[in-house]
Amino acid sequence: MSSQNYAHPESLVSTDWLAEHLTDPNVRIIESNEDVLLYDTGHIPGAVHVDWRRDLNDQTVRDYIDPEGFAKLAASIGITPDTTLIFYGDKSNWWSCYALWVFTLFGHKDMRILNGGRDKWIAEGRPVTKEKPQYPATKYPTPSGRKDSEIRAFQQDALAQSKAGKPLIDVRSPGEFKGEITHMPEYPQEGVLRGGHIPGAKSVPWKTAAKDDGTFKSADELRKIYVENLNFSPSDHTVVYCRIGERSSHTWFVLTKLLGFQDVLNYDGSWTEWGNTVRVPIQKP
Amino acid sequence: MNCGELDELGSVEVVDSTSVYPTGLQSIIDLFVSLPDEEKRETLISYAEQTGKWRPREGESFDLEDIRKDEECADTVGVFLKVSEGDKVRFRITLGPQVQTLTKAMTSILCRGLEGATLPEVLELPSDFVPKIIGAELVRARSHTVYYVLTRMKGICTVFRNRKRAAES
């Protein structure tokens, strides 16, 4: 199986492909980053900025925007349900996968990730601009609902998964999994009271699926890691988590789009919810 | 607004006599507080693009240098301190390429705003000015490294003060 043999190869585009579609009116390029000002310093020509906190999160409840909010966001970036969306960003595409996952909650169909993300585009010397594009607002129909039950896990789902001994994947760093640190390596403390992991979870850091240049490993390599070595099955009901749901979005994308797992839920409350919740069990090795 | 324009505004003294911030920093805070959000962002970008100005320059010497990669920051940060007569400080800082844009901006702001401040002023500097500069929208999870450079600056000042005290005792 080669890198062409991903379960859904249409979910990834190369930098070459994107360079040829920069002005394609059917394509909208969306940058989503952790670095909140990075888009403003320069971005792929024509790309719009979708900010995970400002645009995708509800501003008062720890939750995502509702269908009306999504329709408003989609209209503001000038897309229709038929637009092909290309997501890219920093940190090996953590936040672009997160944005794609949130857009999936609202049923947008044609969405792809730029393999290698922002770093690869820039490393190849491709053009960037500070010019912010303005697209005519569209009328994006309000989705009938949010598909939480299909791709999103809540705390009770993760707890049930843990109690049932079903596949639960912790994609954080080994130090976070073991409870040796309560922050991400290279980040300050984000307010988690306890360290450890959800009982029964397997540690499979997100980086397992990525090459050093931020591109995804080949289908062969991914299958060997997740299916042959770790014994996860494409038909299993599987829950992935990290700290706030962005690194686990990366693994969710790998499992569902690249390996064809059919039933993967992203527990976006993740460790910042689990590690702080009263009377919820944790495990330390 | 870019840093060049800010230079022109440098002489604008909008200083509250009860301010707990050094004069230079107070001027920058006042400027940011007066800016609408979009201009605030543009000014932060402009500061972020000026971090090269605050690297050590040819021929400069320092009393202390602290270059390291911590668990709490995405890349190596070097802090260089020169303390001259009257305990006046000058900082120079080097940042690795993975450091966040907001942290780069705060580096330039602090180097500029604390130029000529005294050691005690830096050591007693509260961090509550940060949200005033970056605005509430940018205070969020994953942007807390904006406080990191200030922590490192205060850290190197603490080491300098302690060594000085030890030498004097």
Side-chain angles (χ1 to χ4, degrees), chain A residues 215-273:
Chain A
T215 57
F216 293 99
K217 287 182 179 170
S218 70
D220 259 351
E221 291 170 299
L222 294 174
R223 185 165 299 282
K224 192 166 186 179
I225 294 165
Y226 290 93
V227 179
E228 293 175 23
N229 295 347
L230 295 166
N231 289 319
F232 294 120
S233 166
S235 59
D236 279 349
H237 180 65
T238 302
V239 173
V240 294
Y241 74 94
C242 56
R243 291 179 70 78
I244 55 175
E246 89 295 1
R247 287 177 287 177
S248 47
S249 294
H250 187 277
T251 298
W252 176 86
F253 179 83
V254 168
L255 295 178
T256 59
K257 305 298 180 185
L258 304 186
L259 287 176
F261 280 42
Q262 292 142 21
D263 187 14
V264 183
L265 307 183
N266 183 20
Y267 171 34
D268 57 277
S270 278
W271 196 254
T272 52
E273 178 180 46

Side-chain angles (χ1 to χ4, degrees), chain A residues 35 130 186-187 190 246, chain B residues 38 49 71 101 140 142:
Chain A
D35 183 333
K130 283 187 177 179
E186 305 184 341
Y187 289 79
E190 285 179 332
E246 89 295 1
Chain B
E38 189 56 33
E49 289 170 344
E71 274 286 292
T101 310
R140 55 166 71 177
R142 301 294 159 82

Side-chain angles (χ1 to χ4, degrees), chain B residues 26-79:
Chain B
Q26 182 68 61
S27 296
I28 297 173
I29 295 167
D30 290 338
L31 171 73
F32 272 94
V33 167
S34 73
L35 293 175
D37 283 350
E38 189 56 33
E39 273 192 64
K40 199 172 277 193
R41 280 176 95 95
E42 288 168 10
T43 309
L44 285 168
I45 298 292
S46 179
Y47 269 111
E49 289 170 344
Q50 300 296 321
T51 48
K53 275 187 178 178
W54 304 103
R55 291 192 199 113
R57 296 167 194 172
E58 189 75 32
E60 282 186 323
S61 62
F62 300 97
D63 295 299
L64 275 180
E65 300 180 9
D66 175 20
I67 306 163
R68 61 188 144 99
K69 161 80 179 70
D70 280 338
E71 274 286 292
E72 293 83 8
C73 192
D75 213 332
T76 301
V77 173
V79 182

